[in-house]
């Protein structure tokens, strides 16, 4: 079992893109020998692994992932990235992983176009620990899926899945101090209740249409708003960040804080000006010391989209590739293995050895290094290889 799981995991660590690509490397005698020599396991054929991944309960790999991440948290690996030296920033977001023209399984979500064409698809809701340095580490994943017995009209959705995802985070990380980062779908009483019950902080995007009475209250109190300005300059631009906050704003019997950041960027070369506005609701009471870190942490939410989903779709992991065309169970297991591999690779790509290699010359990219590593594993002789692991900074 260890060989089958590790072999499937390495399909993603090697960024093989498909089971076919992996099998073709596996046919090389040198590759099989080198993998055995370096990592201590035989490479299984992917058909063998696939049979197992169709049967294995997806909870097993989710628990393995949580166990690995818990180990990193216990070693204080993410300690310096905590919000206000206290809680871990956990971004929540959903992404599509597969679309089909035919019904793929009983759990597919469906969408009917105006012309009556039905599309079948799968979505997953993720909770990822994010850092200002660009790490996006999967804590828990919840598939948004239809229950075969349920009413066709009432499909599962992101908000319902969040309730289950929050329960998973609590189950696997019961004592972890958490600060939830969510987009404009998340300012609602269900989310506020869950955060209150679990003793979690939150910084959630407030869109203009969200929580009307809360925003009206903010409008009435605008004259009393507290402000803080920050200026940042570099060779090409000058940035002004105007932070504003209000505490004790009532919403449905509870009191929250309102936070806004207006960013103005002046390009010093072509003299153009651009601006953005970010508004949040938070249960972290604000003051002059906390406001900047609160608004800047709120903005880290996009890391789940960029460093999380985009990397997994476009940088070799092929999140949207159909690793299993028939089995919903296998699809979930491949998804979990991809998450674990992505965690391992993010840490490997920040290790001292890799950073030294990347600094050698500007054309040396992560994609290049992975290609060279694969070539080395395929063509070199086993006894020449020695891999000394080291922890990243
Ligand atoms: Zn399906």
């Amino acid at each position: 079992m260890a060989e089958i799981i590790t072999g499937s995991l390495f399909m993603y660590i090697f960024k093989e893109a498909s089971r076919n690509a992996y099998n073709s490397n596996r046919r090389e005698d040198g590759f099989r020998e080198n993998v055995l020599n370096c990592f201590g396991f035989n490479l299984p054929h992917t058909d063998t692994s696939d049979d197992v991944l169709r049967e294995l309960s997806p909870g097993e790999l989710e628990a393995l992932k949580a166990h690995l991440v818990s180990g990193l948290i216990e070693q204080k690996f993410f300690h310096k990235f905590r919000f206000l030296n206290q809680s871990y920033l956990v971004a929540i977001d959903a992404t599509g992983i597969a679309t089909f023209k035919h019904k793929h399984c009983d759990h597919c979500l469906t969408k009917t176009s105006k012309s009556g064409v039905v599309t079948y698809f799968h979505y997953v809701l993720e909770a990822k620990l994010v850092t200002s340095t660009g790490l996006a580490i999967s804590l828990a994943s919840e598939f948004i899926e239809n229950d075969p017995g349920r009413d066709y009209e009432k499909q599962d959705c992101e908000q319902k899945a969040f309730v289950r995802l929050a329960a998973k985070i609590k189950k696997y990380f019961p004592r972890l101090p958490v600060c939830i980062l969510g987009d404009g779908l998340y300012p609602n009483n269900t989310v506020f209740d869950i955060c209150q019950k679990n003793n979690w902080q939150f910084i959630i995007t407030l869109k203009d249409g969200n929580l009307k009475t809360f925003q009206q209250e903010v409008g009435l109190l605008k004259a009393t708003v507290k402000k803080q300005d920050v200026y940042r300059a570099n060779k090409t631009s000058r940035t002004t960040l105007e932070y504003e906050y209000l505490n004790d704003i009532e919403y449905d019997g509870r009191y929250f804080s309102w936070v806004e950041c207006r960013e103005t960027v002046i390009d010093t070369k072509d003299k153009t000006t651009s601006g953005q506005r970010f508004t949040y609701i938070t249960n972290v009471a604000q003051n002059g010391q906390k406001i900047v870190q609160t608004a800047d942490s709120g903005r880290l939410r996009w890391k789940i989209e960029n460093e999380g989903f985009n990397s997994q779709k476009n940088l070799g992991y092929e999140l949207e590739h159909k690793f299993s065309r028939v089995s919903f169970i296998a699809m979930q297991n491949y998804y979990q293995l991809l998450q674990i591999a992505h965690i391992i690779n993010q840490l490997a790509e920040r290790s001292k050895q890799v950073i030294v290699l990347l600094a050698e010359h500007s054309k040396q990219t992560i994609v290049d290094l992975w290609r060279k590593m694969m070539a080395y594993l395929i063509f070199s002789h086993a006894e020449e290889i020695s891999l000394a692991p080291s922890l990243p900074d």
Side-chain angles (χ1 to χ4, degrees):
M1 186 56 101
E3 246 164 19
I4 281 171
I5 297 301
T6 317
S8 311
L9 181 64
F10 268 73
M11 179 169 72
Y12 294 107
I13 287 180
F14 292 150
K15 305 183 185 178
E16 292 274 29
S18 71
R19 280 160 53 190
N20 270 341
Y22 174 82
N23 278 335
S24 92
N25 281 332
R26 185 184 166 274
R27 274 193 284 275
E28 305 279 349
D29 294 339
F31 186 67
R32 284 204 308 277
E33 267 172 45
N34 286 332
V35 169
L36 178 63
N37 190 39
C38 288
F39 305 106
F41 68 94
N42 286 302
L43 281 173
H45 192 280
T46 62
D47 287 352
T48 314
S49 317
D50 196 59
D51 286 344
V52 174
L53 293 174
R54 286 182 194 199
E55 299 291 329
L56 185 73
S57 162
E60 298 280 346
L61 291 177
E62 172 118 60
L64 173 67
K65 177 180 75 182
H67 177 73
L68 293 169
V69 176
S70 293
L72 293 170
I73 292 170
E74 274 166 33
Q75 290 170 53
K76 300 198 158 70
F77 214 83
F78 308 110
H79 215 62
K80 64 180 172 198
F81 302 114
R82 289 173 308 161
F83 170 58
L84 302 173
N85 290 323
Q86 199 182 343
S87 51
Y88 293 86
L89 295 167
V90 177
I92 309 286
D93 205 4
T95 191
I97 59 164
T99 309
F100 302 88
K101 287 188 180 131
H102 58 90
K103 190 175 176 183
H104 156 263
C105 71
D106 286 342
H107 301 266
C108 286
L109 298 167
T110 60
K111 197 163 55 188
T112 309
S113 73
K114 275 180 191 158
S115 54
V117 179
V118 181
T119 317
Y120 300 85
F121 60 100
H122 281 282
Y123 250 75
V124 62
L125 183 63
E126 268 288 318
K128 282 187 162 71
L129 193 157
V130 292
T131 71
S132 52
T133 54
L135 289 169
I137 305 288
S138 176
L139 293 184
S141 320
E142 179 64 31
F143 274 71
I144 305 173
E145 56 174 294
N146 274 331
D147 191 336
R150 219 161 32 197
D151 186 354
Y152 192 67
E153 290 298 308
K154 289 178 193 155
Q155 295 203 64
D156 195 12
C157 65
E158 186 170 338
Q159 275 154 319
K160 289 185 204 165
F162 175 73
V163 178
R164 308 194 298 270
L165 182 73
K168 264 188 192 170
I169 300 171
K170 199 67 194 168
K171 174 183 163 193
Y172 290 120
F173 305 93
R175 287 175 303 280
L176 190 72
V178 165
C179 179
I180 296 283
L181 308 178
D183 66 14
L185 208 60
Y186 286 82
N188 61 61
N189 274 330
T190 310
V191 174
F192 300 154
D193 283 343
I194 288 172
C195 289
Q196 190 174 345
K197 194 183 82 195
N198 291 332
N199 215 4
W200 292 345
Q201 295 173 321
F202 63 77
I203 307 166
I204 293 174
T205 302
L206 205 55
K207 286 197 209 149
D208 287 341
N210 290 147
L211 310 185
K212 284 221 170 89
T213 60
F214 183 85
Q215 305 231 41
Q216 279 163 2
E217 189 81 3
V218 169
L220 291 172
L221 295 167
K222 265 286 174 73
T224 67
V225 83
K226 300 270 200 319
K227 293 183 185 187
Q228 177 129 351
D229 289 356
V230 174
Y231 300 95
R232 287 174 195 154
N234 61 29
K235 277 180 190 160
T236 56
S237 67
R238 283 203 306 275
T239 305
T240 309
L241 296 146
E242 297 167 80
Y243 298 89
E244 296 184 344
Y245 66 90
L246 284 166
N247 285 323
D248 301 319
I249 306 290
E250 201 250 10
Y251 177 73
D252 221 3
R254 274 184 279 220
Y255 293 85
F256 300 120
S257 296
W258 171 89
V259 168
E260 191 163 89
C261 174
R262 283 168 194 271
E263 181 186 75
T264 312
V265 182
I266 300 169
D267 191 307
T268 44
K269 264 194 191 136
D270 52 21
K271 307 286 177 209
T272 53
T273 303
S274 57
Q276 275 179 290
R277 178 170 62 98
F278 306 93
T279 312
Y280 304 99
I281 181 170
T282 175
N283 59 353
V284 181
Q286 294 298 302
N287 60 35
Q289 275 84 53
K290 290 179 183 172
I291 174 69
V292 173
Q293 214 189 113
T294 304
D296 290 359
S297 298
R299 284 177 72 175
L300 289 182
R301 194 205 66 79
W302 67 269
K303 298 246 178 231
I304 193 170
E305 289 177 31
N306 197 38
E307 270 81 354
F309 301 147
N310 283 349
S311 303
Q312 292 185 358
K313 285 177 186 181
N314 304 317
L315 294 181
Y317 302 96
E318 301 299 324
L319 176 64
E320 292 166 303
H321 177 77
K322 288 154 186 147
F323 286 95
S324 177
R325 291 183 168 274
V326 289
S327 163
F328 181 53
I329 292 178
M331 175 190 275
Q332 295 173 77
N333 283 327
Y334 283 115
Y335 181 84
Q336 294 293 356
L337 289 168
L338 193 159
Q339 299 310 311
I340 296 171
H342 188 218
I343 293 169
I344 293 171
N345 281 358
Q346 286 181 77
L347 302 181
E349 287 166 10
R350 284 167 174 77
S351 65
K352 277 179 195 150
Q353 286 97 327
V354 173
I355 286 169
V356 167
L357 288 171
L358 286 174
E360 274 179 359
H361 56 89
S362 62
K363 298 269 158 50
Q364 189 107 280
T365 61
I366 287 289
V367 176
D368 273 336
L369 286 178
W370 247 245
R371 214 164 24 222
K372 286 172 186 165
M373 174 180 77
M374 291 306 289
Y376 190 65
L377 283 171
I378 292 167
F379 296 113
S380 65
H381 295 292
E383 59 273 17
E384 293 169 8
I385 293 183
S386 84
L387 292 180
S390 75
L391 286 175
D393 287 328

